[in-house]
């Protein structure tokens, strides 16, 4: 690339082609152009539309009232303070109605403060795994079927495709996929974290890596995992209805825990 970047384009596709031609190394990894619209005006429109009370009730559902503000927060287009001021103004004299919303903003701030202290240390296991397995028992590399969305599991393949093509995943989808990679496929969380950061528009080492460590149990008191019932509940069964694979998530938490971990 030579000279300043162009900033004016007749169509979105013209922009896409220009970016592909100028950033060939990045294009070789990922040639998709996310439908997310960048910039302050788009961020303010999303901010104006938030519903903190409904967010608190429905955020775990894929169709819940999530804000999708994280890419704008990640790149400094919005600040945590102005997002909180907007949420607080919407609930008026009922601050508890925005308590869950406030909690999620606080977690984001917490991860960043830890990153200030640890820096590249967020790439290292903060604690030992609580799974009964040692770090050396986990694979170093992300399996290609996960990366390419070819596991045969409708849910995981859909999450992989959404990550690569849109650059965004609902937080619950991120947790399910991270748990699948670490606990079912027994791959080190660092491999999954690197993959996420390659594609996520809101990806940063603080929120991303420490969330992966929380799932893996290297920064929490136990591993996070899930079962089919949990997946169906929060996805309204959209993936299970079309899946033809033998479901590895079928069973109670006790049954899955016995099969996945040496100690739980």
């Amino acid at each position: 690339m030579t000279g300043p970047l162009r900033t004016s384009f007749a169509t979105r596709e013209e922009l896409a082609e220009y970016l592909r031609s100028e950033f060939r190394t990045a294009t070789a990894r990922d040639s998709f152009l996310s439908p997310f619209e960048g910039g302050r005006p788009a961020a303010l429109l999303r901010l104006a539309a938030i519903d903190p009370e409904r967010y608190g009730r429905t955020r775990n559902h894929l169709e819940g009232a999530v804000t999708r503000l994280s890419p704008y927060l990640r790149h400094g287009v919005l600040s945590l303070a102005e997002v909180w001021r907007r949420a607080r103004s919407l609930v008026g004299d009922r601050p508890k109605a925005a308590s869950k919303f406030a909690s999620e903003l606080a977690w984001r701030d917490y991860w960043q403060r830890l990153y200030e202290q640890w820096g590249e240390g967020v790439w290292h296991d903060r604690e030992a795994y609580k799974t009964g397995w040692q770090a050396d028992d986990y694979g170093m590399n992300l399996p290609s079927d996960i990366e390419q969305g070819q596991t045969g599991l409708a849910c995981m393949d859909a999450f992989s495709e959404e990550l690569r093509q849109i650059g965004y995943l609902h937080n619950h989808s991120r947790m399910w996929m991270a748990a699948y990679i670490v606990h079912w496929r027994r791959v080190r969380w660092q491999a999954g974290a690197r993959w996420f950061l390659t594609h996520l528009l809101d990806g940063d080492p603080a929120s991303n890596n420490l969330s992966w460590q929380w799932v893996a149990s290297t920064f929490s008191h136990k591993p996070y995992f899930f079962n089919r019932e949990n997946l169906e509940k929060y996805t309204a069964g959209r993936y299970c209805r079309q899946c033809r694979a033998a479901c590895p998530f079928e069973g109670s938490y006790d049954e899955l825990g016995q099969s996945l971990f040496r100690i739980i």
Side-chain angles (χ1 to χ4, degrees), residues 1 5 26 51 62 69 84 86 134 143-144 185 253 264:
M1 181 183 69
L5 288 172
D51 184 340
L62 261 57
L69 291 176
W84 172 240
R86 170 62 178 166
Q134 301 301 311
S144 61
R185 301 296 295 270
Y253 281 98
I264 191 160

Side-chain angles (χ1 to χ4, degrees), residues 1 3 5 23 25 54 58 90 103 109-110 138 160 169 232 264:
M1 181 183 69
L5 288 172
F23 298 96
T25 301
R54 185 164 170 258
T58 68
L90 290 171
S103 174
D109 183 62
Y110 175 60
Y138 294 82
S160 175
L169 278 176
E232 286 201 272
I264 191 160

